[in-house]
Amino acid sequence: DRRRNAPAAGSPIQPIIKDVGEVYSRLLDHRPVIQGEIRYFVKEFEEKRGLRELRVLENLKNMIFETNERVLPKCEQAMQDNLNETFQRLQAANAMIHRLQEREYEARKLQADKVMAREEKCIAHWEEFMKEQQNKRAEVDEEHRKAMERLKQQYSEMEKELAKYVSF
């Protein structure tokens, strides 16, 4: 746009435009200064830091390689050994618990059998007791009946004797 609107080369305004352009570029156009500062910063950054990032990455790569090649297999082997030992211990504990459960079951079954035997014995004893009570009751009833008969007979005799004395 400046070239189209720019006056002819021989015009008296030409030096003024040139001065205004210089003032503008010095006061308002900061691109060259910023680019210079950026170049300076990059130069300082690269000189001071050097190849530190590259060394850090190389160290990380070596550490990862060592971990993958040496530490990880050792950890896997230790884990496998411990898992096998733990599995064997768990199996042994499981077997012991199973035996304890069987013993407890047998003890409970034996206890239940004893209780059932006691209950049956008690029931048999109760039935015998009730039969005995029935027999005793029958004996008592028979004695009572006989006593009633004797008393009836005695009272009837007494009535007869009393009837002899009433006739006077």
Side-chain angles (χ1 to χ4, degrees), residues 59 63 77 111 134 163:
N59 287 341
M63 190 183 321
Q77 185 62 39
Q111 188 71 18
Q134 292 273 348

Side-chain angles (χ1 to χ4, degrees), residues 122-135:
C122 284
I123 289 171
H125 182 67
W126 181 255
E127 288 175 355
E128 183 181 323
F129 175 75
M130 290 305 286
K131 284 179 185 176
E132 189 178 312
Q133 291 300 317
Q134 292 273 348
N135 292 339

Side-chain angles (χ1 to χ4, degrees), residues 92-107:
N94 194 20
M96 281 192 262
I97 288 172
H98 186 66
R99 284 192 302 264
L100 285 173
Q101 284 177 336
E102 286 178 358
R103 287 179 193 162
E104 186 176 330
Y105 175 75
E106 291 297 324

Side-chain angles (χ1 to χ4, degrees), residues 112-143:
D113 290 346
K114 286 180 182 178
V115 168
M116 287 293 281
R118 276 191 235 135
E119 283 181 8
E120 289 173 1
K121 186 177 177 182
C122 284
I123 289 171
H125 182 67
W126 181 255
E127 288 175 355
E128 183 181 323
F129 175 75
M130 290 305 286
K131 284 179 185 176
E132 189 178 312
Q133 291 300 317
Q134 292 273 348
N135 292 339
K136 284 183 181 180
R137 182 176 146 203
E139 287 176 14
V140 168
D141 285 346
E142 184 61 31
E143 262 183 56

